[in-house]
Amino acid sequence: MPYALHDPIRRTKIVATLGPASDREGVLEAMLEAGVDVVRLNFSHGSADDHRRRLERVREIAARLGKSVAALGDLQGPKIRIARFENDSVILEEDQSFILDMALDSQAGNQERVGCDYKQLVDDVEAGDRLLLDDGRLVLKVIQVAAPEVHTIVEVGGKLSNNKGINKEGGGLSAEALTDKDKADLKTAIDIGVDYLAVSFPRTAEDMLEARRLLGEEGKEIGLVAKIERAEAVADEATLDGIIEASEAVMVARGDLGVEIGDAQLIGIQKRLIKRARTLNRAVITATQMMESMISSPLPTRAEVFDVANAVLDGTDAVMLSAETAAGDYPVETVEAMHRLCLGAERERTAQESGHRMHEGFSRIDETVALSAMYAANHLEGVAGIACMTATGYTPLIASRIRSGLPIVGLAHSPIAHRRMALYRGVVSLYFDTDGLEPSEMDAAAMKILTDRGLILPGDHIILTRGDHMNAHGGTNTLKILEVR
């Protein structure tokens, strides 16, 4: 799909969740045409066959459109929930007593008590703790723990229906990050060929390392995404940095994280997470309720406009849509709106200025070349973009940590690297077939692709990075400034 000559290219990527709404005739193709860069397969819903069918359809449409689209599988994780009520829901009144009963039949909840699927809750809470139900809409204060019951007083009441989630204020629930269901879904993720796999509720780097061990040799090309949604994950810098460094990307999962740490703290945590991920050379996704009103409305609210724009200005690689595209009434319109908002925010000067690693030393040659290319591009008049020949996508990732208004073109001969780069901010990912090319022919072949795709014009300058050997990871060692003729 050709780009319009010198038209602005959206730098911030869009992640869209697939579901019944995107399954409607013609909707998925329209979403990809509207600007979706990464599709999310939510393993909390649907079967393995559903996910396989959807991803096959994405790959077919993307190939036809000439578009790079990555696939993100999202593990459910240990979502801790209450059981069910006899009449589907109850109304809890402030100051009433209410019991979470680990021994109660899973269908027998009533006005006084309800079961819980997480039997260890009695070991994880004590008198004085506050439990937040249904994403914090209801609050219970623990009065007494008398196994198998947790006795509480309702502090904030309201309607409580079947299977709503439970969080503990401040964190501290000990459920393992990877459940038996997750381990089965992990095999599905390998089988259907996702590019990224999101791990829910990691508490430490060890949870991410365990996922990497379970992926094994078969899943070695899958990038891990840490969903930051537990209070423990952001409790101190060392823990957070460890999780980030054990992952290829992180997600600011603002739903459960906001419930555990409180909305007031969430604001600063989002900004700190984006900054630390970029500093540590990892991609970062901002998620949860970004365009929530568009589930049932064709237009976003002003608050949503500013929420998306602020994430863009903070430097997020991607913004994510959940129910808006999986189950909403306006999935295509939502993607179109998010595309417009990202472009609008990216026009601001602060989105194009960077002091990234200006006062740091470099230890790797490929990083030195990538960062030098970006600073040269940002300061040399007449440069239309940066092109990186890459085996793995690492050089474009490093380059994309520097803010710029210029496109970074990742030229990858590996289909996996080609798709993985679809997540990186400011990177246009193009497939670059090097089979049969001599080293002396590489530069001209790269320039032809950029010209054919409308990314450069005669008279432009392009900064090109490459290695002496195209198939060598970490082999980037050359920077050239070429004039387009």
Side-chain angles (χ1 to χ4, degrees):
M1 183 169 59
Y3 294 92
L5 291 174
H6 282 214
D7 277 357
I9 295 170
R10 172 172 44 80
R11 303 183 67 77
T12 309
K13 303 305 181 76
I14 296 175
V15 182
T17 305
L18 304 187
S22 63
D23 287 344
R24 299 197 298 263
E25 183 67 29
V27 169
L28 179 58
E29 182 159 350
M31 284 170 53
L32 296 188
E33 287 185 315
V36 170
D37 301 288
V38 182
V39 295
R40 173 176 172 251
L41 306 170
N42 185 0
F43 290 146
S44 296
H45 306 285
S47 65
D49 286 342
D50 290 333
H51 301 311
R52 179 180 290 103
R53 170 180 52 81
R54 286 170 178 153
L55 184 51
E56 287 174 352
R57 182 75 175 132
V58 167
R59 295 267 161 85
E60 182 270 318
I61 294 170
R64 180 155 38 82
L65 295 177
K67 182 179 173 66
S68 174
V69 178
L72 167 65
D74 195 336
L75 299 177
Q76 176 176 294
K79 188 71 174 179
I80 298 166
R81 302 178 184 276
I82 62 168
R84 301 177 63 85
F85 293 96
E86 293 174 342
N87 298 315
D88 295 328
S89 66
V90 297
I91 302 296
L92 297 185
E93 303 289 345
E94 187 176 331
D95 293 330
Q96 82 164 77
S97 298
F98 191 69
I99 296 172
L100 301 172
D101 188 343
M102 309 304 116
L104 188 68
D105 182 275
S106 63
Q107 307 288 326
N110 55 40
Q111 188 68 34
E112 298 175 352
R113 64 182 62 221
V114 70
C116 180
D117 64 0
Y118 179 60
K119 307 307 180 187
Q120 300 98 304
L121 186 67
V122 292
D123 301 317
D124 288 351
V125 300
E126 58 186 23
D129 287 342
R130 299 172 83 230
L131 299 177
L132 311 160
L133 281 65
D134 192 11
D135 290 334
R137 292 181 178 87
L138 294 91
V139 181
L140 309 178
K141 184 175 181 180
V142 177
I143 301 303
Q144 179 188 9
V145 178
E149 298 176 348
V150 176
H151 294 250
T152 75
I153 292 290
V154 178
E155 286 194 344
V156 178
K159 182 179 179 180
L160 181 61
S161 53
N162 296 332
N163 303 125
K164 293 302 181 185
I166 304 174
N167 294 84
K168 178 182 172 185
E169 186 177 66
L173 298 181
S174 61
E176 295 294 327
L178 292 162
T179 66
D180 290 341
K181 171 177 165 50
D182 293 331
K183 292 171 184 176
D185 288 338
L186 185 143
K187 294 177 181 177
T188 298
I190 296 172
D191 182 46
I192 67 177
V194 302
D195 304 294
Y196 292 96
L197 186 68
V199 177
S200 297
F201 302 100
R203 289 170 296 180
T204 66
E206 180 55 36
D207 289 329
M208 302 307 299
L209 296 174
E210 173 66 11
R212 177 58 67 199
R213 285 191 289 270
L214 290 170
L215 283 172
E217 188 65 21
E218 282 188 305
K220 67 179 181 180
E221 302 288 356
I222 295 175
L224 287 179
V225 180
K227 294 173 67 177
I228 308 299
E229 47 195 338
R230 275 184 159 162
E232 295 94 324
V234 297
D236 59 78
E237 287 188 9
T239 299
L240 179 59
D241 283 1
I243 292 173
I244 295 171
E245 291 177 319
S247 313
E248 278 67 49
V250 295
M251 182 188 296
V252 190
R254 303 181 303 182
D256 284 282
L257 181 61
V259 171
E260 290 209 358
I261 68 174
D263 290 340
Q265 285 194 62
L266 183 62
I267 302 162
I269 289 293
Q270 173 175 313
K271 293 181 179 294
R272 180 154 61 93
L273 261 171
I274 293 172
K275 183 176 181 180
R276 288 306 295 163
R278 293 182 64 81
T279 298
L280 296 172
N281 297 328
R282 301 299 191 270
V284 55
I285 303 166
T286 304
T288 315
Q289 296 179 331
M290 300 214 77
M291 307 282 271
E292 184 89 350
S293 72
M294 290 194 73
I295 293 172
S296 57
S297 169
L299 293 171
T301 66
R302 291 290 180 269
E304 289 165 343
V305 167
F306 277 84
D307 183 30
V308 172
N310 276 318
V312 171
L313 293 173
D314 285 342
T316 192
D317 283 89
V319 284
M320 194 174 96
L321 299 166
S322 298
E324 300 97 329
T325 51
D329 295 333
Y330 301 96
V332 178
E333 292 86 347
T334 304
V335 176
E336 291 171 341
M338 186 164 265
H339 171 79
R340 291 193 303 271
L341 297 178
C342 291
L343 277 176
E346 288 165 4
R347 281 194 286 267
E348 289 301 307
R349 186 168 180 174
T350 54
Q352 302 177 20
E353 296 177 338
S354 181
H356 180 66
R357 297 181 70 175
M358 279 288 287
H359 306 292
E360 294 181 26
F362 305 143
S363 59
R364 291 178 51 152
I365 292 172
D366 53 353
E367 288 188 358
T368 304
V369 172
L371 296 171
S372 298
M374 290 304 297
Y375 281 117
N378 282 345
H379 290 86
L380 177 61
E381 189 174 343
V383 173
I386 305 92
C388 306
M389 296 186 198
T390 181
T392 64
Y394 184 73
T395 300
L397 170 66
I398 297 303
S400 69
R401 300 308 85 185
I402 294 181
R403 296 172 187 253
S404 175
L406 298 171
I408 303 162
V409 183
L411 298 169
H413 63 272
S414 159
I416 295 169
H418 177 222
R419 293 193 301 267
R420 285 268 290 269
M421 289 189 294
L423 179 60
Y424 303 157
R425 181 180 176 118
V427 175
V428 177
S429 180
L430 299 180
Y431 183 68
F432 184 44
D433 187 356
T434 59
D435 288 344
L437 288 177
E438 296 296 327
S440 60
E441 299 173 319
M442 295 284 191
D443 295 356
M447 296 283 278
K448 186 177 187 309
I449 288 178
L450 299 178
T451 303
D452 290 347
R453 297 296 290 252
L455 287 164
I456 54 177
L457 291 169
D460 287 339
H461 285 87
I462 190 82
I463 295 181
L464 179 69
T465 70
R466 55 171 290 186
D468 294 331
H469 305 286
M470 269 297 289
N471 296 323
H473 173 52
T476 297
N477 61 5
T478 304
L479 183 158
K480 295 182 178 182
I481 303 176
L482 304 174
E483 183 177 355
V484 184
R485 300 186 184 278

